[in-house]
Amino acid sequence: MRINKMLLVMAIPLITTFSCTNETAASTAATQISQSEAIGKFNAEIRRVAMMKEPNPAPRTSAELSDEKKDLLLPAAKELIVSSGVSMAEIERQTANDREKILKWAVKVYGDYNRQMNQNYKSQN
């Protein structure tokens, strides 16, 4: 009887540990799936913005986006950054909600993801 109680007491922490490990693995997989989805949404938004005609095109010396286009990209950019494991609070803290910084960060996440996918593809072939 005493051995059964001891085994039960020892089994509870093990079960809890395995349970938490499985949750972490599941949330990591969910993050990867949502990052793929966020990449797809960001990519689609970039294409949509690129195809938009400017109603009153202002003279530009570079390929810089208009404020309207930046505003359209911002939600998808934030979603992409969040999908990489960063909280909204962290985004706000690091960027002070500066649209330019958020878009640059999203482009970096986008590029890193694409580089990783290319490396994975090359290593498989």
Side-chain angles (χ1 to χ4, degrees):
M1 183 74 166
R2 186 175 176 134
I3 294 174
N4 288 340
K5 286 183 181 178
M6 185 182 288
L7 287 174
L8 182 61
V9 169
M10 291 172 60
I12 291 174
L14 287 174
I15 292 171
T16 305
T17 302
F18 290 133
S19 172
C20 292
T21 303
N22 288 338
E23 286 176 12
T24 303
S27 70
T28 302
T31 300
Q32 290 297 334
I33 291 168
S34 67
Q35 186 173 25
S36 296
E37 292 170 0
I39 291 286
K41 287 180 183 178
F42 188 68
N43 191 22
E45 196 64 30
I46 289 172
R47 289 181 182 179
R48 187 171 78 86
V49 164
M51 299 304 290
M52 286 177 55
K53 299 283 185 195
E54 294 285 338
N56 298 321
R60 297 189 193 283
T61 58
S62 68
E64 184 177 327
L65 296 173
S66 67
D67 289 341
E68 177 186 348
K69 289 182 176 183
K70 290 176 186 176
D71 288 338
L72 290 172
L73 277 174
L74 199 57
K78 286 182 178 179
E79 187 176 330
L80 177 57
I81 296 167
V82 167
S83 76
S84 70
V86 178
S87 69
M88 285 300 290
E90 184 66 15
I91 293 171
E92 291 171 8
R93 188 184 70 74
Q94 287 196 22
T95 64
N97 280 329
D98 182 338
R99 181 178 59 195
E100 304 294 326
K101 289 179 182 177
I102 293 170
L103 290 173
K104 285 179 184 178
W105 191 352
V107 168
K108 182 185 178 321
V109 170
Y110 182 75
D112 291 346
Y113 180 86
N114 285 328
R115 271 188 292 285
Q116 184 63 42
M117 291 298 108
N118 286 336
Q119 286 175 353
N120 291 348
Y121 178 75
K122 286 178 183 178
S123 68
Q124 290 176 353
N125 292 325

